[in-house]
Amino acid sequence: MLLARRDLIVAKGRFLLMGTVVALIAMLGVLLAGLAVGLVDDGTSGLMRLPVTHLAFQPGSEATFSRSFMPADAVDKLRGDGVEEAAPLGVALFNAKLEQGGSKPKVVDVALFGVERESFISPTPVAGTGLAGSGPAPVVISQQLADEGVKVGDQLVVGLDSTALNVVGISDVGTYGHVPVAYTDLSTWEQVTPGATTPSGRGLVSSVALKLSPDASVKVGDRAGVDVLTKKESFAGSPGYAAETATMSLIRGFLLVISALVVAAFFTVWTVQRRDQIGLLKAMGASDRYVVGDAMLQVLILLVVATVVGTLLGLVLGSIFPAEAPFTLTVSSVVGAGVALVVAGLLGSLVAVRRITSVDPLVALGSSR
Amino acid sequence: MAPVVAALPNAGAVAEIAPVDNLSGTSAVRPAALEMASVVLRHRDGADEVVALDGIDLTVGSGELVVIIGPSGSGKSSLLAVAGALLRPTSGTVRIAGTELGSLRRRQLSALRRDRIGFIFQTGGLFPSLTALEQLLLVAEVAGQKAAPHRDRAEQLLRDVGLGSRLDHRPDQLSGGERQRVAVARALMGRPALLLADEPTASLDRSRSAEMVELLAEQTHRHGAATVLVTHDPDGLSHADRVLTLVDGRLTEA
Ligand SMILES: Nc1ncnc2c1ncn2[C@@H]1O[C@H](COP(=O)(O)OP(=O)(O)O)[C@@H](O)[C@H]1O
Ligand SMILES: [Mg+2]
């Protein structure tokens, strides 16, 4: 494949230009991959980090906690064969006033998770204490809230009755619907959440956290007349999740289509310019396979080098992203974006293949006509 | 090592080209390298038909340099295209190294060009990005072989045409005459039975033209190829073994 390699060097201006375009696309691909994973993380890490396999929802609620209610005794009905752990879970979004004594109260968003103090989903603190054994109206906040300045000993005031929750600990509980998660005990949660009790005073929860044994089926939901969804399925109900993932997929899909078209256009023009050379190769008896292989190797070298360079640049750029931005780089998403770009480029270059195979070797003699 | 098996003339329809390993240099019995009989070629040009070749009978033996001289438009390139398995004649038969081309498919013609024919084009037909040496090594690569083992032979061929000190020069670093000599060396690289040169002296001055023909004669005799050189340029004709004239698609003895 002498020609492919030498042409890259001799026509370096043109390939550099094309390589720059591909590298920039690769860079954008890294940023979008980081953003896509970051957004998913920001929307669902509060659920991802739950030690559960499944969550139960009210039928028809489509995994949306704010539309899902079930009596607290659903937990007991669900227990049985195949269910290793079951615990009630309340989820509601609040605007909380941060009382730090003295200073002007600041408003923070919280996704308030209500759990039984001793349950298997009760958070493990990294600072302060957990819910178990703490005083009345305790709240364990996520690291993000701590980063916003909330400290152990502060109070978060929530609900129509302005109930003060006492910050007792900090835990790595993530975010839900782009809002930091905070855990409180179930009775406090029912007290502050509108509609968390029936008019007759029966307690309601949003969901039941379940740990099913590997062979158990989601049919266990029938025991309590609820839908049992896998943890991943329940992400769909996170506010904005479906729209965000669809939008990100659309943008990334478009980027790949654009890459394919750009490479297609470049290699079509390049092939037209190389027509004499291709004709000459064929006159010398080169097979279609050789001529096409030579051209594709050139595309592949260009794509791989440009993608690697662009990806590295994207990683550098990603590392200086502001910490608040929902941006998470994972090896698989970055590598996946790079591979997808190379594949899209190769597919794009396929449009030039017809042009290569259809060159008549007679053009080698044509210069004399 | 697989022996070179050239299909024999009169062996009936030869559908397959036996794989040959010309580059490794096995000796072979080569039948008359080129035999054209009653070849007619008509080009369709819109509604008109142009008769480019009008009954060509031509046999060229191994080690023979035939120069065909004819004015522009007389059918020289057409003749080479047909003799070089680039174009199928409208009628008549063409045999190259004993293989009748009529029954061959496109891919087989391509393989036959690769294994049996060396071309020298009017303006050299060199690849701009390759050095002189690489132009020759490309021949090995096109034949599906590693280039490295053929390096010595390629260097030798370039030395034979007087380019021992130009191995690593690209075409834009060579003079017109040097480029044509690279083209000659490249055409010989695949040990062709048939060497076809289309006006290789067109871009050269008179003394260089005569030298070029002399070089081709020398290489033809040394390598035992059958060489057809078409030109409109009467320089260097004395080096030819045979000179023919082409006028309006018809060949006559000069
Ligand atoms: N592809 C073609 N279509 C139509 N006419 C052609 C074509 N190729 C060659 N001709 C005609 O055939 C004749 C011989 O052409 P050519 O073989 O190129 O001559 P030469 O090489 O001697 O100049 C000319 O009249 C030319 O115009
Ligand atoms: Mg011509």
Side-chain angles (χ1 to χ4, degrees), chain A residues 368-369, chain B residues 43-45 50-52 70-79 198-199 246:
Chain A
S368 54
R369 235 179 79 80
Chain B
H43 290 296
R44 196 167 289 285
D45 201 358
V50 183
V51 181
S72 176
S74 58
K76 301 185 296 295
S77 295
S78 299
L79 191 146
D198 189 11
E199 307 204 40
L246 185 65

Side-chain angles (χ1 to χ4, degrees), chain A residues 157-173:
Chain A
V157 177
V158 296
L160 300 172
D161 294 336
S162 294
T163 311
L165 307 179
N166 302 304
V167 178
V168 297
I170 299 167
S171 178
D172 211 7
V173 289

